[in-house]
């Protein structure tokens, strides 16, 4: 597990369909002098409840990067990263939720940011 000094942030928006206030999650960074905003999401819809618990009343939490490597049936090595957002409460208890880039372009930007 690698810890970068990168924060996952959230901000509120109002749903056009329901009129309800929700959160959107993202990572801000600078690539080649350009300010970028990378959208991230939990792996499934129920993950939004987990993210609410991880963030609690804060608007940012730490990004955790977990590298992986495996061989496929043909013997080719496949490697990459999995991602999570993590926070620690006042008692030292760790709260974590897996996340993923929301779109392919977000995945590409995240890879550029981490290199």
């Amino acid at each position: 597990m690698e810890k970068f000094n990168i924060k996952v942030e959230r901000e509120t928006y109002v749903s056009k369909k329901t009129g309800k206030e929700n959160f959107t999650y993202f990572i801000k960074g600078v690539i080649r002098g350009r300010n970028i905003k990378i959208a991230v999401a939990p792996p499934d819809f129920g993950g939004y409840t987990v993210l609410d618990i991880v963030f609690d009343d804060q608007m940012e939490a730490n990004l955790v990067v977990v590298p992986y490597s495996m061989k496929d049936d043909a013997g080719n090595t496949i490697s990459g990263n999995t991602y999570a957002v993590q926070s620690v409460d006042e008692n030292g208890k760790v709260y974590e939720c897996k996340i993923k880039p929301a779109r392919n372009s977000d995945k590409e930007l995240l890879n550029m940011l981490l290199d």
Side-chain angles (χ1 to χ4, degrees):
M1 183 169 17
E2 290 183 43
K3 285 201 179 187
F4 290 84
N5 194 14
I6 297 175
K7 299 290 185 184
V8 177
E9 300 178 48
R10 69 179 182 172
E11 64 187 8
T12 58
Y13 73 95
V14 176
S15 169
K16 292 179 183 179
K17 286 183 178 180
T18 64
K20 237 175 99 172
E21 192 173 272
N22 296 309
F23 287 105
T24 181
Y25 298 87
F26 56 90
I27 297 166
K28 287 183 181 176
V30 177
I31 300 172
R32 287 191 160 182
R34 294 184 178 116
N35 291 322
I36 51 106
K37 193 173 181 179
I38 303 165
V40 295
D44 58 45
F45 189 74
Y48 286 101
T49 300
V50 180
L51 283 174
D52 284 342
I53 293 168
V54 171
F55 277 83
D56 195 27
D57 61 350
Q58 303 298 309
M59 295 305 280
E60 66 180 29
N62 296 316
L63 175 68
V64 177
V65 180
V66 181
Y68 69 87
S69 180
M70 62 183 166
K71 290 194 183 267
D72 66 10
D73 293 336
N76 300 316
T77 300
I78 301 168
S79 60
N81 295 312
T82 60
Y83 309 100
V85 61
Q86 185 182 85
S87 66
V88 181
D89 71 10
E90 62 279 353
N91 298 319
K93 181 167 174 60
V94 175
Y95 296 88
E96 186 172 290
C97 179
K98 289 184 178 184
I99 57 171
K100 62 181 183 174
R103 299 173 296 266
N104 283 335
S105 57
D106 293 311
K107 181 178 180 179
E108 292 167 356
L109 286 170
L110 187 53
N111 286 335
M112 287 180 206
L113 185 65
L114 295 175
D115 283 341

